[in-house]
Amino acid sequence: MLIVDVVLETADTAGFTLWPVAGLPPYRPLALSGRMTPDEVGSAMAALARHTVGASDDDPPAPDAAALVRRMLAEEEVSVDGGLRFRHTGLDITVNPGCCCGLRDWRDWSGLVTDGEVPWLGHDPTPRVELAGATVRLWPDGGFAAEPPPTRPVGIPVADLPGILRSVQDDLRGFLGLVGHWAARHVPDHARELTNRLDADLAVAAPLPEPHTGA
């Protein structure tokens, strides 16, 4: 069975006290959806804030949740590492997005449907993706090698990708709904601006491209 999640990379929240977060290890994938707990949403928001704002010796720590969210909204773009995670339970294979692959890049998978363009999945561990006729083949690593790894890849029919991307978009919409509730509780003065920015910067609600049908 193939399970596809949209994930972001968690931040190191040791000592983080501006809002409640889940006890998650740092630098691990966290699946986003409308089924997350409030503390998991808090962890996702902490990761978004930490990645977008970063750390600078020139700026004192944010004194409260509203101050950190304001700093995040003042940046040119809200971003975080992440993307699509593919898990095949029968093959016991998981393909995570690699380092420096952005969550917003989840839409790059539509290029395989519209014009056969293979998405970049980041590096370290450098997932490998190949288009072989009507099938996409995925490996957890080996993206920079001349030849595919000797291990068995996950195979996905290209025809299944539009449905996968619609499901991913539904999960992101569900996550945005939870962010709205989270923001209304923790940063009510910025709730609408925050959800609108995440919608735009993570490319959530815009229509997905239609598959190319040829002449």
Side-chain angles (χ1 to χ4, degrees), residues 12-164:
D12 185 353
T13 54
F16 185 87
T17 60
L18 297 185
W19 57 72
V21 294
L24 303 174
Y27 318 120
R28 297 292 188 272
L30 171 63
L32 306 179
S33 74
R35 301 174 296 278
M36 300 170 71
T37 68
D39 284 358
E40 286 174 338
V41 176
S43 291
M45 295 308 303
L48 283 158
R50 288 283 178 86
H51 189 277
T52 300
V53 177
S56 171
D57 293 336
D58 297 330
D59 295 324
D64 53 38
L68 182 55
V69 168
R70 281 196 300 271
R71 291 181 186 180
M72 180 169 61
L73 294 173
E75 296 294 328
E76 183 176 348
E77 182 181 67
V78 177
S79 64
V80 69
D81 287 350
L84 300 191
R85 176 178 64 186
F86 296 81
R87 294 180 291 159
H88 196 294
T89 57
L91 299 176
D92 193 26
I93 297 174
T94 297
V95 182
N96 285 306
C99 176
C100 298
C101 185
L103 177 55
R104 181 186 177 91
D105 298 336
W106 71 273
R107 281 182 174 266
D108 290 353
W109 282 93
S110 64
L112 275 167
V113 179
T114 57
D115 54 23
E117 183 177 351
V118 174
W120 181 72
L121 302 184
H123 50 78
D124 190 20
T126 319
R128 186 184 185 97
V129 56
E130 292 184 353
L131 182 60
T135 302
V136 180
R137 298 191 295 179
L138 287 172
W139 290 265
D141 53 23
F144 291 151
E147 298 294 331
T151 54
R152 186 175 180 182
V154 175
I156 306 170
V158 174
D160 290 353
L161 286 176
I164 289 172

Side-chain angles (χ1 to χ4, degrees), residues 32-34 36 41-42 44-45 48 72 172-187 190-192 194-196 198-199 202:
L32 306 179
S33 74
M36 300 170 71
V41 176
M45 295 308 303
L48 283 158
M72 180 169 61
L172 283 171
R173 285 171 170 158
F175 169 64
L176 277 187
L178 295 183
V179 170
H181 294 302
W182 177 91
R185 179 176 181 180
H186 296 285
V187 287
H190 306 292
R192 177 170 295 184
L194 178 61
T195 54
N196 287 344
L198 292 183
D199 187 0
L202 302 181

